Amino acid sequence: MAIPDYQSCMLPLLAFASDGQEHSIVEAVERLCDQFKLTLDEREALLPSGTQFIISNRVAWARTYMKKAGLLTNPRRGHFQITDRGRELLKKRPSSIGTKDLRQYEEFQEFQRKSNQKGAIEDQGEEHSAHSTPEEALEYGYQKLTENLSDELLEKIMTCSPAFFERLVIELLVKMGYGGSLKEAASIVGKSGDAGIDGIIKEDKLGLDAIYIQAKRWRMWLDDPRSRSSPELSSARKRGRVYSSRRADSPRKRPIT
């Protein structure tokens, strides 16, 4: 099954704590993973930042929200324990527990008011609140903004001239640390419309090796007959590495960037 959202973790987490004992978050995550029958891949799935397991993040936020509602308490760092209020809620045998249920408690309402005043992400409908913890909302939002910016940049680049694109690729590689300054490390040798080498950069500041670049704005295939037959490109292959851009959806070869 899919990784449960943080609200789906609330009732199982509270039921797990119903024995009245102190439990660690690590212990709770393991128990809920088993209860939800998560696969190894689902247990090890990470947030976009790669800093935390998704399931651990969601269980932790389920604990935090129920603590703010007075259903759980933290007897010590990294541990939680059920309260009398939590036991009373379980006695009602709820089919699920979510943020709507927690809003019946004044402490949770106050927590939400303070969070909103500090600029925290507010619930944006049931779908958002049911699936995203604050970290997930921020990270996926940042990821989406980054993807949109990348798309806009690519669209802008594709409207520029081939000569501009070739120059851009050379400057980008130099900025990545190949060979020092642009004047010292790189040269642009290509002509628009040809199938040969468009630029040459030094692999390092000593200039012991050269990298020959093809910059074609993804309009050519690496196995295009013109590329294979280019005398300039064939010579470059013998003398050093050849980096080439091309369509990323080629059914035959992976892109080299």
Side-chain angles (χ1 to χ4, degrees):
M1 64 176 297
I3 302 172
D5 58 73
Y6 75 91
Q7 293 194 75
S8 297
C9 292
M10 289 184 181
L11 180 56
L13 184 62
L14 191 62
F16 174 58
S18 63
D19 60 4
Q21 302 299 312
E22 291 185 14
H23 295 283
S24 69
I25 285 293
V26 174
E27 182 184 359
V29 169
E30 191 65 28
R31 174 65 68 89
L32 266 63
C33 282
D34 292 339
Q35 184 172 335
F36 285 109
K37 296 181 171 58
L38 299 186
T39 65
L40 181 61
D41 286 344
E42 290 168 337
R43 295 177 189 226
E44 296 182 349
L46 296 170
L47 293 172
S49 63
T51 59
Q52 188 179 22
F53 295 124
I54 291 175
I55 184 61
S56 298
N57 179 264
R58 293 179 178 178
V59 172
W61 274 102
R63 186 275 308 267
T64 295
Y65 283 143
M66 289 196 291
K67 177 194 171 189
K68 296 299 182 181
L71 304 179
L72 296 173
T73 184
N74 289 356
R76 56 196 174 100
R77 183 177 178 83
H79 290 71
F80 61 94
Q81 191 173 24
I82 196 169
T83 64
D84 290 339
R85 180 181 287 181
R87 290 190 183 92
E88 288 298 319
L89 180 58
L90 287 178
K91 286 179 181 178
K92 298 177 181 179
R93 298 185 180 277
S95 59
S96 64
I97 298 176
T99 53
K100 279 188 175 181
D101 303 292
L102 302 185
R103 290 189 188 111
Q104 67 182 291
Y105 304 112
E106 179 61 32
E107 295 92 336
F108 187 74
Q109 294 176 27
E110 182 64 20
F111 161 69
Q112 286 198 312
R113 281 194 293 269
K114 288 182 178 179
S115 296
N116 293 339
Q117 289 171 1
K118 292 178 181 178
I121 296 175
E122 301 182 40
D123 289 346
Q124 300 174 4
E126 283 304 300
E127 182 178 356
H128 177 277
S129 63
H131 293 88
S132 300
T133 67
E135 280 98 341
E136 289 179 288
L138 286 170
E139 292 190 17
Y140 284 113
Y142 176 78
Q143 186 179 50
K144 186 64 177 177
L145 288 172
T146 301
E147 291 173 354
N148 289 341
L149 177 60
S150 297
D151 290 341
E152 291 177 10
L153 285 173
L154 286 174
E155 289 177 8
K156 180 66 176 178
I157 290 170
M158 292 301 287
T159 63
C160 297
S161 68
F164 170 84
F165 180 71
E166 292 167 3
R167 178 80 180 181
L168 176 65
V169 171
I170 299 293
E171 291 189 12
L172 175 61
L173 289 171
V174 172
K175 289 291 186 182
M176 290 170 63
Y178 289 96
S181 70
L182 183 64
K183 181 177 181 180
E184 297 171 344
S187 59
I188 299 173
V189 297
K191 297 178 181 178
S192 298
D194 68 7
I197 292 298
D198 294 311
I200 303 172
I201 62 173
K202 298 175 183 177
E203 187 174 5
D204 51 45
K205 293 184 178 181
L206 295 177
L208 300 178
D209 201 359
I211 296 177
Y212 301 83
I213 305 145
Q214 259 194 337
K216 301 300 181 187
R217 295 197 302 178
W218 298 282
R219 296 183 186 278
M220 289 182 62
W221 306 95
L222 277 180
D223 50 358
D224 185 284
R226 290 179 299 161
S227 292
R228 290 200 308 267
S229 61
S230 166
E232 190 179 24
L233 188 58
S234 298
S235 176
R237 286 196 181 101
K238 295 177 182 178
R239 289 178 284 142
R241 301 181 187 179
V242 178
Y243 284 68
S244 178
S245 62
R246 58 147 183 93
R247 292 182 59 87
D249 56 350
S250 168
R252 291 168 285 183
K253 291 191 177 182
R254 298 177 63 186
I256 298 176
T257 55

